[in-house]
Amino acid sequence: MRKLLAIIVGLISLLVVALTASYAALHTKYAPQLVNGVLEYGLKQPIKIRAVNYSYQQPKHIQLEGVLIPQENASPLLLNQVDIWLGDSLWKDNQFQINNVLIEGVKLQNGWPTLSVSPYIRLNQLSVANIDFADNGWVGRDVNIQIKSPQVRDSKILPFYGEMQLSADQLYWQGEALNHVFIDGDLTEKNATFYDIRFTWRKAHFSGQATKMNTQKEWQVPRVNITGLRLQQNDFDNISTASLDGFNHIPMNIDQLTISESSFETPTISANNVTINAEHVELPLQLWQQQDASIFATADNMSLLGQAINSPALDVNLQPNLAHIQDISLEMLQGNIHLQGQVTPTSLNLTQLNLNNLKWIPSPRSKQLFKNYLSQIKNIQAKMVSVNNVQFIDLTTTTPKQASGLSIDGDELDIKRDGQWGLWNGQLSISASSASYDGVNSRNLLLSMHSKEGHFGLDKLFIPLDDGLVKGTANMAFSQTSQPWNVDLEASGIPLRFFTRWFHLPLHLDGITDFTIKGEGLYGDQLIFNRSVTGQLNASVTRASSHDDFQNLWLRNQGINLPPLVHPDSVEESEPEQGGSSIMDKNKPAEPVTISDIQLTADRGRLSLKPFDIEAKDFSAHFGGDYDFLYPDKGKLQYRLEGKCQSLTFNLLGKRDSVLVEESCK
């Protein structure tokens, strides 16, 4: 038989017989044969009943045991026990009245069978106890269902309309176990309402309410409470993809979400004793598609990329493509951070940013993530920035850098616009009690600048060094189409190695450099800049020295696999390493070097380097040439290296293997 409840239809025939001539037979051993015969006659199917229990003391209660119902193309369905309570009035409104049917002990391994109830029967309540159920990714153990005024509907999970209560010792969905399940709801043809949903998942307690019109896709969820949710990385790894995909296809609008006494831990981020209070949250959770979500979250402590964070608190309101940060505060890096403002996928507009007493030593990963985020942001503004007593130590680069006692004050800042960095508006001052880079130390440095309506001014650059000073001013009109600029910079005590490294010069030189730079031009676009840059650089070098000699310079610069050129008086030959470098004695003392004054002039994009000389013990070098920003391929910067018996001439702007070799010792 394909109809689980069709046995109720047979009660019409059964009761007609029971209320007439055969009523007394229900108390004899012939009751099963009588009922089987009646049901087969009435239903045209051979339903079998092992025993029938009936008592005069309860005339409206009939109990059937061992009800075997055949099914088409499936194994027979066995109901361990069926209890039927008749109504006070057996016939009313042209319907046979049944108060309750209780079915106990049934295994539905292939889901619910096809169900139907005769229109001539009025069933006030259906109860099904101790169900084992499996179908469509769901598995249920010890499931109990009570439904008032049930009506059959087309559903594989729960094929009834009506007021219902469901409990289960355990439900499995796509391999995820829900324990101690309880559901109190009302299913109608127009909507589904669940007044109470409770279960435990991975030892966490869940409870909530939900409702949905059948014509809508989104569930309206007035309340969800989650307590004691604790997830580690192996838990995330073990959650089945099918269950996550299935959950993500259930759209929800949660009015009130509360998460408490919870924690999670992954290799990237972890948090302990998390508390979240959220309102109007749309699921699946998409950060930039929330309509009016408010989220307040705290934790005792957390960790991000291995960095400990204490007492984090977040208060944010989410709109479409907009996050209003009411408050973010946390203690980390031996200090504290506090910020307010607005964030979009491509902009950052802070009302307030406070950083106090931080000590940041970034790891390569955290530094890269920070840079990646800033690269995605096209516009950055901040109404008030206050950074106090921060220490920054960067060990991620070949040349470490650090600053201590770093303080920054900014007002009405606009520092990135349409992807371009710059102080477009506002006032900014930066100071530090000490700073160092590549062995150069500074004390009490200060930078102050301002920008108004797109006109930028570097008011003061003052960097005292151990052996010198850097100071200067600059201006740039960002708001004008041509963006005119000028710079005036004076520096003394700058290590020469900075320039040989920054400009990839072929000599390894050190010394003390003093220089001045005066320049101006237009920066509207690359073409305007190339045509307009004008100015002059004058530099002098004192206490110059080098570990290089002619042999090393030749091998470093020729870039081709030729035997090393040595003068006849050489006692030993230096063999080149792979890549054309020679093996140098690291303990070899530096030899004094004399460098003539350097002068570089620029006239509307045409640069001219006045020839200057470098004189060392066994070599001399000569630099000079021209470069045109508009025609860089035509530029020629000549570098001539002279030894005792050989000389080499390179064009540093051309191919490095194009070298003119001259020998003077025959």
Side-chain angles (χ1 to χ4, degrees), residues 451-472:
S451 184
K452 185 176 182 181
E453 297 179 354
H455 191 101
F456 167 79
L458 175 61
D459 303 316
K460 189 172 186 178
L461 171 65
F462 184 78
I463 307 177
L465 306 177
D466 287 345
D467 297 310
L469 174 67
V470 179
K471 62 180 181 178

Side-chain angles (χ1 to χ4, degrees), residues 382-402:
K383 187 174 183 179
M384 185 181 75
V385 173
S386 178
V387 177
N388 299 298
N389 194 31
V390 168
Q391 184 176 17
F392 172 73
I393 302 175
D394 188 0
L395 303 176
T396 64
T397 58
T398 303
T399 304
K401 58 182 76 72
Q402 73 89 24

Side-chain angles (χ1 to χ4, degrees), residues 551 554-555 558 561-567 573-576 646:
Q551 172 79 356
W554 191 93
L555 291 172
Q558 51 84 24
N561 294 322
L562 292 178
L565 297 178
V566 295
H567 54 76
E573 294 185 354
S574 300
E575 295 296 333
Q646 297 91 16

Side-chain angles (χ1 to χ4, degrees), residues 48-296:
K48 301 297 182 182
I49 298 175
R50 186 177 67 251
V52 177
N53 298 319
Y54 183 79
S55 170
Y56 287 120
Q57 285 76 23
Q58 295 181 321
K60 295 182 179 180
H61 175 215
I62 300 175
Q63 185 180 82
L64 310 179
E65 296 182 6
V67 180
L68 189 65
I69 306 173
Q71 299 187 94
E72 294 181 2
N73 302 320
S75 302
L77 191 63
L78 176 63
L79 313 180
N80 292 341
Q81 182 173 305
V82 178
D83 287 86
I84 303 166
W85 287 268
L86 306 178
D88 294 335
S89 298
L90 295 180
W91 189 264
K92 183 180 179 181
D93 298 331
N94 295 322
Q95 288 183 309
F96 191 76
Q97 302 293 313
I98 301 178
N99 274 348
N100 188 16
V101 172
L102 170 60
I103 301 173
E104 290 194 66
V106 57
K107 296 183 183 298
L108 304 176
Q109 299 304 319
N110 297 306
W112 291 91
T114 302
L115 305 174
S116 66
V117 177
S118 170
Y120 297 106
I121 293 180
R122 168 65 179 178
L123 178 58
N124 293 325
Q125 179 170 297
L126 170 66
S127 302
V128 186
N130 301 323
I131 305 173
D132 286 342
F133 177 88
D135 187 46
N136 198 33
W138 287 90
V139 176
R141 295 178 180 174
D142 291 332
V143 181
N144 302 288
I145 303 173
Q146 290 183 354
I147 304 175
K148 292 182 179 179
S149 303
Q151 298 180 23
V152 176
R153 69 173 185 145
D154 185 16
S155 173
K156 292 184 178 181
I157 303 302
L158 190 61
F160 302 102
Y161 291 118
E163 297 180 27
M164 57 155 289
Q165 285 190 348
L166 180 148
S167 64
D169 183 59
Q170 196 170 67
L171 289 180
Y172 282 91
W173 180 51
Q174 303 293 353
E176 290 297 322
L178 308 179
N179 298 314
H180 312 300
V181 179
F182 176 81
I183 299 175
D184 182 7
D186 188 3
L187 304 179
T188 70
E189 294 181 357
K190 294 183 178 181
N191 58 52
T193 301
F194 295 102
Y195 306 105
D196 190 8
I197 301 173
R198 284 175 281 158
F199 60 88
T200 62
W201 176 71
R202 295 183 181 265
K203 298 182 180 180
H205 299 279
F206 290 71
S207 65
Q209 300 169 326
T211 183
K212 182 176 77 71
M213 300 293 293
N214 291 343
T215 56
Q216 298 175 341
K217 293 184 178 180
E218 187 177 62
W219 283 89
Q220 301 299 316
V221 182
R223 174 184 61 85
V224 173
N225 292 328
I226 303 173
T227 304
L229 181 61
R230 294 176 174 84
L231 297 175
Q232 294 183 332
Q233 185 59 53
N234 61 333
D235 296 309
F236 289 106
D237 294 339
N238 292 332
I239 297 175
S240 67
T241 304
S243 64
L244 290 176
D245 292 341
F247 181 78
N248 286 332
H249 285 84
I250 306 176
M252 302 181 192
N253 186 339
I254 303 177
D255 291 338
Q256 180 69 48
L257 170 65
T258 302
I259 302 176
S260 60
E261 301 176 20
S262 299
S263 63
F264 58 90
E265 182 177 353
T266 72
T268 302
I269 185 172
S270 65
N272 296 314
N273 197 19
V274 176
T275 298
I276 298 175
N277 291 301
E279 296 180 354
H280 310 301
V281 177
E282 299 274 353
L283 294 182
L285 184 62
Q286 298 182 28
L287 180 64
W288 300 115
Q289 296 184 17
Q290 300 296 313
Q291 296 302 313
D292 187 21
S294 297
I295 301 174
F296 179 76

